[in-house]
Amino acid sequence: MSIPLLLLLGVFLFRAPSTVASGVIDTDYYWHLGYGEWILDHGRLPTQDFWSWTFDGHSYRLTQWLGEVLMAVAHRLGGETGTATLSALLVTLTITASYKAARCYLTHRVSAIAIAVVCNALLIQLACRPHQFTHLGLAVLTWLIADFLTRGRRRSLYAIPPLMALWVNLHGGYAVGLAYLAMMVGLLAIDGYVTHRRELLRDQALPLALAAAAGFAATLINPYGWEAWLYAIQIAGLKSSAGIVDEWAATSIKAEVGLQYFMVTSAVAAAMMTARQRPTVAQILGAVVLGALGWSAVRLSLMASVMMVPLLAAAFASTPLATLVGQSPERVSRALALALLVTVGALSIGMGRIDKTTERYVAEHFPVAEVAFMKAHGIEGRLLNSPEIGGYLIRHLGQKVAIDTRLDLYGDRPLFEFLFAMRGELGWPEYIARLSPDVILINNPAALRQLLMATGQYRLVFEGPSYSLLLRAAARPDLPSIAPDSRRVDVIFSQLKL
């Protein structure tokens, strides 16, 4: 058994038993799964929103429907273990495709799998969501292009249109794949022009441009046609995504994702500087463009790391370190890899059975106790809730919500209105009066909670670890009002003083 296969099996065995990989700690997981199950049950795609009372009946395009259906199939086959296994399978396939891309430049298999794992290391931590299909799509795309550029196999380009046709239905990140194709065509054209190599334009840039055009046309093969392109543009233009959602914030080296991306970009730079063979103009410009792209947003840094694999492999191939690694006995490396596989597999399965970290996280960050209280007492009505728990409420409470994390549906205004009201900003009374909710489920430290209770409009009937449940002052007299937990209030004030 080869070392790369052993390591890939190790990645799968490490991730598959993990409840974190299932997606239950991700706010988007619940509505993704819900849509997938709805499609399986009804045999068609939804055309309107039916999960919020604020946007009920609003037109909605579910462009990542196929990714959600696959999540639902995995869940029906094995519950949370099923979605965790799907997540593990996707990241393993992504690393496999990256390994194949690296192998186009490296003859040494250990070096190729090492580069693939290093560049995709953070993907191993991701929860099950449709964006994992984009990472796999990018890895396959880099492999196809690398195979064409290094071995001249034009038949590799024939796979690009089918890939894009499938990808456009799995996740909106297909737009990044199109951008990568355009970038590669442009870089090859610039390289050929600068170096006066007409054969580069004729034999590489032109065939890739034709494949890219065919791939672009193939993205029309989706239930919405060209409107799927509008969806991608709409998401890119949301201010709420760029300014509030963590994964679309600028990448910082102070965070784990930023540190990992710094290591990847530094490795690419170091390999290019120490390589005996001078990098091409296209490779240098590609490293600069992808480097800038990755630092612009956390989610893009994960994608850029996948696209960095061919650059790192090409540069590393002619470094002194690559020569040294290639001389090491593969028999020893195989024995170590096998021992690591057995150890990782045993520990992962054991920890997956006894680890309660995920269960505690869900209980502390999602309204588990609050939902149980609402169900036990039959509390219903127009529910105003925090966006991050909207998906959980949709799935576990079975009631329509005011807002959730489907920002492509709500747009910027409803989210910012809620955030300003939660902070007690000017205009919060008008916001509450306009929505007129019967039930409010809001973060414990929110200023809006204190204001609503102080004005007597709403009263506190339940306080969980992170969220408070408020009802109209005159509603449900059978449920007594309770006082806020003074210990929790003291903690909040002590944190504010710090």
Side-chain angles (χ1 to χ4, degrees), residues 435-452:
L435 293 183
S436 187
D438 302 307
V439 186
I440 297 178
L441 190 57
I442 194 172
N443 309 70
N444 290 334
L448 180 61
R449 185 190 85 149
Q450 319 305 326
L451 292 169
L452 290 172

Side-chain angles (χ1 to χ4, degrees), residues 103 261 438:
R103 281 280 285 162
Y261 190 62
D438 302 307

